[in-house]
Every structure is written in structure tokens, then in C-alpha cells.
Amino acid sequence: MRRTLVMLALCTVALPALAQDAEPDWDMMRDPGKKLTLAFTQFNSGLGVAVRCVDNNYEAIMNGLPPAGSGESRELRLAFGDEDLHPQRWNVAIDDTVAVSNLPAPFARRLREGGRLRVMIPGAAADGRNLVHDLTLPVSSASIDETLTACGRDLVDPRDLELAALPENGMPANLVWQRAPRPDFPSPVKYARGFVSVMCLTSPDGSLRDCSVEAEHPYDSGFGAAALRATRRARVETLEDPGGPVPLARILYRTHFIVAGYQTREDTQRQREQRARERERRNRRTVQE
């Protein structure tokens, strides 16, 4: 694999333009001055995959995707080995050929096993059909572990299976938001848009505890701290017993930050729908009381 400079800045990533389909381990980049440890691999199909720790923030990235357009997220369908393809929502960077994972550490732990990885991008082929990359990942006996360790992420984490079983909205099937987190935009504003994924445990009164940032992009945006502050005011409840005790559960809360006026029509519509769902739930509780 030809080694070239790999950079990720302002939500963009550049990876080597040409590479082989398998190597003994992933290529590495280390920059102590930027607190950067990065492992990457690039395929002849144009698709690249990278995981990195930068200033204690962990990210997993795919580049070389067809342009996503103006949306804040896109669907990718992934399968390791002979598994069935599984849909996932990935976040779109400012360079819309780059996607960033909501759960980078669990994804990295799967990547290091190497072997077959299929990536389907729905409707992305020139004729509107699904575009599929069928790749052979290098086994990573050291490189990916180095990135995980640099960020204090476990090399083995039993929570990965639990997180993989969560629905797309990150909430167990029997739970809904009573009061969804509403983070304030950090000040001063450094980036017009970004995202955060936060993992929390529920408390019996519906509050959230032991919250931690799973992914923050851009890494130095302040979005992670803002999202954590918002979880202090959030509450969940059960569908069967609104207002009753909430069982212990792990949830994944994801939010996008977009400067006013920067939203697409799709962004605005999603925000309206979320507010409408919350009003409907409040009205149902009022009637029941």
C-alpha cells in the first residue's frame, strides 16, 4: 500500500488514492503533537476505512462513497463475513463522500478481525441500483488496538452486543422519551454542523446516568460537552406505564448540531416531526391523568 498523508479536518478525510486489497496489518499514522493515532486501509474500488484517536476522541470513518447530498445522515448496509446485510445510519461529513460512525469503538473491534466486509449503498449506482463493495479487510493484530488504547477504549467490551441489538433510534423497544434532550449550541461557535452519540443508563425515575460520549464530530467542537449537559434534564418513560418506574436499560442518544439557517428542508421537517411526537405524548399523558 502506498503510504500518503492522511488528514481529517472540518469533517473531511483524505486517504491514499491507490492500495492493495489486503496487507498484514493496517497502515498507521502517529502525530504526537496533534495527539493523533490513526489506522487506515484503502481499496482499489475507491472505498477507504479509517479509525483514529485524536485528543482522546475516537472516530471511525468511511471515505470514497458516492455523494450523499444535503442530508445530515445516510444509510449504509454492512455485513461482516457471511452475515446478512444490516442497515445503519452513518453521519455525513461536510465532504459528502465521507461518512462517520455513531459507534466507532464497537465498529473498530469488528474491523480488527479482518476478513470479508460488504458495504451496500442503497440506490447509489449510476442506474439507480444498489452499489455494493465486497471487500477483504486486512487482519489487524496491532494497529487498530493501538488506536483504541490511545483513547482509553477497551479492546473487548461485552456492551457491543447490547448496543448492536438496539433499534435504530437507540432506545429499547419499551421506552420512549418523556423529555428529549435539547442541547444548547456551544459558544463560541466553531463549526456550523456536527453530531454526537451519547450512551447512558436509565434510572427508576426516568432520568439518565453514567452518560458518556461514544462519538463526537468534529472532535474539538464542544458538541459532546453540550450533549452531556442536555442529558441532565432529559427523562424517559415506559410505554406501558407512563410515569411509572423505569427498568434499568442502556440507551444511545444521538443528536445533530446545525447552525440556524444552515438546515436543509429535510432537517427542518425532522425537527417538526420530533416536536409533534413529543406534543402528542404529552397530550396522551394529560388525558390519562
Side-chain angles (χ1 to χ4, degrees), residues 252-286:
L252 186 68
Y253 148 59
R254 291 172 292 213
T255 187
H256 285 82
F257 290 79
I258 305 174
V259 169
Y262 195 82
Q263 294 100 324
T264 65
R265 285 178 301 205
E266 293 82 1
D267 296 331
T268 304
Q269 181 61 28
R270 277 191 290 271
Q271 292 171 358
R272 290 198 192 102
E273 291 171 354
Q274 175 66 25
R275 288 194 292 267
R277 285 193 293 269
E278 291 181 12
R279 284 196 299 270
E280 184 179 347
R281 284 196 291 270
R282 287 196 296 269
N283 291 338
R284 284 202 302 268
R285 286 199 298 271
T286 300

Side-chain angles (χ1 to χ4, degrees), residues 6-264:
V6 181
M7 297 192 317
L8 179 61
L10 294 178
C11 302
T12 66
V13 62
L15 291 172
L18 181 63
Q20 301 301 315
D21 276 359
E23 294 231 344
D25 206 328
W26 292 42
D27 276 343
M28 289 295 298
M29 171 174 284
R30 304 173 186 86
D31 187 336
K34 295 181 179 179
K35 302 179 182 179
L36 169 68
T37 306
L38 183 145
F40 63 93
T41 189
Q42 186 85 11
F43 298 91
N44 292 332
S45 65
L47 193 72
V49 185
V51 292
R52 75 169 194 168
C53 177
V54 56
D55 199 11
N56 207 39
N57 183 76
Y58 201 71
E59 289 185 316
I61 306 132
M62 285 193 193
N63 81 305
L65 298 165
S70 59
E72 63 190 23
S73 66
R74 70 187 304 169
E75 180 181 311
L76 299 178
R77 300 177 189 175
L78 306 181
F80 287 91
D82 294 327
E83 295 175 355
D84 293 333
L85 287 163
H86 179 70
Q88 297 181 7
R89 298 303 299 183
W90 282 57
N91 301 282
V92 177
I94 290 176
D95 177 349
D96 65 355
T97 67
V98 177
V100 186
S101 172
N102 284 300
L103 287 171
F107 185 61
R109 286 187 280 266
R110 291 298 305 273
L111 290 173
R112 66 182 180 173
E113 300 171 11
R116 187 185 188 193
L117 171 65
R118 284 177 294 151
V119 180
M120 176 190 286
I121 306 101
D127 57 2
R129 292 184 297 176
N130 298 333
L131 179 63
V132 179
H133 292 267
D134 198 336
L135 311 171
T136 301
L137 294 170
V139 174
S140 181
S141 58
S143 297
I144 292 178
D145 284 5
E146 185 176 340
T147 68
L148 289 164
T149 301
C151 264
R153 301 299 181 102
D154 293 332
L155 302 183
V156 178
D157 193 335
R159 297 177 301 175
D160 290 356
L161 293 176
E162 188 176 348
L163 290 171
L166 285 176
E168 178 56 38
N169 66 2
M171 192 83 72
N174 63 324
L175 296 182
V176 294
W177 289 112
Q178 181 191 70
R179 186 188 309 136
R182 293 189 179 279
D184 297 320
F185 217 97
S187 180
V189 176
K190 297 177 68 175
Y191 298 97
R193 62 183 294 174
F195 82 92
V196 178
S197 297
V198 175
M199 185 169 61
C200 299
L201 290 176
T202 58
S203 297
D205 65 355
S207 62
L208 305 179
R209 62 182 177 86
D210 297 337
C211 295
S212 61
V213 174
E214 289 295 305
E216 177 182 5
H217 193 77
Y219 74 92
D220 58 348
S221 60
F223 294 151
L228 287 176
R229 288 192 295 270
T231 62
R232 301 170 190 166
R233 302 183 295 273
R235 292 291 185 274
V236 298
E237 63 183 4
T238 63
L239 284 169
E240 298 84 0
D241 184 20
V246 174
L248 177 65
R250 198 178 307 278
I251 70 167
L252 186 68
Y253 148 59
R254 291 172 292 213
T255 187
H256 285 82
F257 290 79
I258 305 174
V259 169
Y262 195 82
Q263 294 100 324
T264 65

